[in-house]
Amino acid sequence: MKILVVGKGGREHALVRALAESPSKPELFSFPGSEAIFRIAAPTTATDLHSLIGWMKDNGIDLCVAGEESYLVKEEGLANLCERAGIPCWGPPKQSAQLEASKEFAKEFLFRHNIPTARATAVSSLEGAVSAINGEYPTVLKFDGLAAGKGVAVCPDEASAMEFLNEVFTEKRFGEGRVLVEQCLTGPEVSIFAAIVDDRYLIFTPARDYKRALEDDQGPNTGGMGAVASRQLISPDLLDLIKTDIVQPTVDGLRNDHLPYRGFLYFGLMLTPTGPQVIEYNCRFGDPECQAVMPLVKGDLAAFCLAGAQGHLQPELISFDDGWSVCVILASAGYPESSRNGDVITGIEDVTEARVYHSGTKLTGGQWQTNGGRVLAVVAGAADREGAVTAAHAAADRISFDGLQRRTDIGILHF
Ligand code: AMP
Ligand code: GLY
């Protein structure tokens, strides 16, 4: 079986490793990939989405796995182009990927199908936003498009709201687009991942990511400074409630709206005092949740994804470890506002009791260097949470580079 994984970050490194460890022993390729990923998934000669489709056809690729979201909505859409070329794709077509690409589309979907979510109003000007906020703080402002995790501001007061609105409407930091003014919810967050195949689904191990840059959930939002995953993260009763109130109505809604879906769907949930509510959908696995979850997946993930892309949900092909997994992100100087490339990384080879996934590195003169905001993800597992926390942080301690930023409270639950 030949599988091509689309993406280049730590999530894709983890996916590629999990696929490589599948008993069906697939031959792996990656696009655009990274030097670390190329060690297990060979590069292609493709330069863009269209040449990638041609390359996959020419090279007899049996399955395309979408790691990163951007290709799902680029041009005609990765999955749409795969379908036309007769290549099974694990990842949804462009029309369904609007659930992630457009927050307004997602909100309308949630409202239409009575799925619990925060109230929201879409606006297209700064004045419209001010009127929708109506002096009620805190408020949540969301740019209606892909913004690499930077398009959301939880604003405690008018000054912070005006700063974000000026970035969007005056400086056009994210390009053209509308803004959702949303009711601010409270409660712990949890990430639920469902593998959806048409009208059926399988829930993977729940996870929690740590979005804020600093200890104790302080500082700016980031793409994620770490994650913890375990089936024990939420109670069986709560998981049942999430299935009946959120996952099943979503799967039914996709069917009713004629939105085909085969792939991972990520439910970003907030556990509010009145029950779980949807904060966001992402049409892919989470990053860094994927790095924490993949080591817990047993069985044949490659065969599972191929069967799913062909329209057969086969839960019997995989199972999930009962234990805990903790992922600690090592970020470069300046992250999340900026990032610094070229700092020499030492100690990766000293990590033997944990997995190290590469999010943003490059090899120069035989040495790994930083090459992005999030640089490495160090992941360790254990039967209990404390064991996984200790092992992941002990492994992370072995790695260093100038400007390294890391949270030492990853895996310690704040709820
Ligand atoms: P998103 O990109 O939609 O996941 O938002 C990023 C983060 O902003 C979430 O993980 C939450 O921490 C926070 N957030 C988003 N929407 C809300 C909301 N309605 N109420 C409170 N916090 C929110
Ligand atoms: N960890 C957040 C995300 O993948 O969007």
Side-chain angles (χ1 to χ4, degrees):
M1 187 198 320
K2 287 186 176 180
I3 305 181
L4 180 130
V5 175
V6 177
K8 61 179 185 322
R11 168 184 47 215
E12 288 73 28
H13 198 197
L15 272 174
V16 160
R17 283 241 341 230
L19 293 167
E21 289 166 8
S22 296
S24 53
K25 295 247 172 296
E27 194 179 344
L28 293 166
F29 302 88
S30 60
F31 172 87
S34 69
E35 282 161 314
I37 292 174
F38 293 152
R39 293 189 161 189
I40 25 180
T44 68
T45 53
T47 51
D48 57 17
L49 189 49
H50 277 272
S51 57
L52 177 65
I53 301 292
W55 187 93
M56 287 197 284
K57 273 176 85 167
D58 292 347
N59 288 274
I61 293 295
D62 300 297
L63 171 67
C64 174
V65 173
E68 185 182 317
E69 64 275 17
S70 65
Y71 295 92
L72 295 171
V73 291
K74 214 173 255 178
E75 298 162 32
E76 294 100 314
L78 173 68
N80 310 64
L81 290 168
C82 280
E83 182 174 20
R84 211 182 304 153
I87 303 164
C89 181
W90 185 243
K94 185 172 183 171
Q95 62 273 31
S96 309
Q98 296 307 312
L99 277 185
E100 170 165 9
S102 165
K103 291 189 184 290
E104 202 175 333
F105 180 94
K107 260 301 162 194
E108 284 168 4
F109 177 92
L110 287 159
F111 289 149
R112 186 162 59 246
H113 300 293
N114 290 317
I115 301 167
T117 190
R119 285 191 320 273
T121 312
V123 297
S124 41
S125 68
L126 196 145
E127 297 70 33
V130 170
S131 146
I133 295 169
N134 198 25
E136 283 173 36
Y137 293 98
T139 188
V140 179
L141 302 176
K142 299 186 172 181
F143 177 72
D144 182 36
L146 293 180
K150 312 279 165 55
V152 175
V154 179
C155 304
D157 50 32
E158 188 178 341
S160 53
M162 291 313 289
E163 190 183 326
F164 182 81
L165 292 170
N166 273 317
E167 278 180 17
V168 172
F169 290 119
T170 316
E171 296 159 23
K172 304 217 184 288
R173 179 174 170 197
F174 309 114
E176 290 298 329
R178 301 192 348 143
V179 161
L180 280 185
V181 175
E182 203 169 287
Q183 169 198 15
C184 189
L185 304 175
T186 53
E189 289 178 52
V190 61
S191 308
I192 296 292
F193 305 96
I196 297 185
V197 179
D198 307 330
D199 55 350
R200 300 182 63 207
Y201 68 87
L202 174 70
I203 293 191
F204 276 48
T205 312
R208 195 214 136 152
D209 78 341
Y210 294 75
K211 286 206 169 72
R212 301 297 195 98
L214 307 175
E215 312 271 319
D216 283 326
D217 288 337
Q218 302 296 309
N221 262 328
T222 70
M225 292 299 287
V228 54
S230 173
R231 201 147 75 178
Q232 301 164 55
L233 198 60
I234 55 175
S235 70
D237 284 352
L238 178 56
L239 187 58
D240 281 345
L241 186 67
I242 290 170
K243 284 182 185 168
T244 52
D245 281 10
I246 291 172
V247 182
Q248 188 65 53
T250 298
V251 172
D252 294 344
L254 289 167
R255 295 283 283 181
N256 287 337
D257 292 355
H258 306 291
L259 294 171
Y261 210 105
R262 291 178 186 170
F264 292 121
L265 180 58
Y266 167 143
F267 298 75
L269 305 181
M270 194 166 267
L271 307 177
T272 75
T274 56
Q277 301 210 28
V278 177
I279 293 281
E280 64 166 345
Y281 289 118
N282 293 314
C283 297
R284 41 141 182 108
F285 226 96
D287 187 339
E289 292 99 321
C290 189
Q291 293 91 310
V293 170
M294 284 303 139
L296 298 171
V297 178
K298 308 292 162 210
D300 203 321
L301 184 69
F304 176 85
C305 293
L306 177 62
Q310 292 170 328
H312 312 289
L313 184 79
Q314 298 192 320
E316 65 280 9
L317 289 174
I318 54 174
S319 62
F320 303 99
D321 193 296
D322 268 337
W324 290 78
S325 178
V326 169
C327 165
V328 177
I329 292 289
L330 311 185
S332 72
Y335 185 73
E337 285 79 17
S338 62
S339 62
R340 199 166 75 195
N341 295 345
D343 288 308
V344 173
I345 306 167
T346 57
I348 295 179
E349 52 294 334
D350 299 332
V351 176
T352 50
E353 305 293 308
R355 290 164 182 254
V356 181
Y357 299 116
H358 291 236
S359 306
T361 63
K362 66 173 186 297
L363 259 183
T364 304
Q367 248 174 347
W368 290 110
Q369 297 188 356
T370 63
N371 190 37
R374 290 188 291 180
V375 178
L376 295 168
V378 181
V379 183
D384 58 8
R385 190 177 57 77
E386 293 73 14
V389 169
T390 306
H393 287 282
D397 282 343
R398 297 178 176 273
I399 300 178
S400 56
F401 52 84
D402 275 354
L404 185 155
Q405 299 189 71
R406 165 188 154 202
R407 276 181 62 170
T408 59
D409 62 346
I410 302 297
I412 297 166
L413 299 174
H414 299 289
F415 60 94

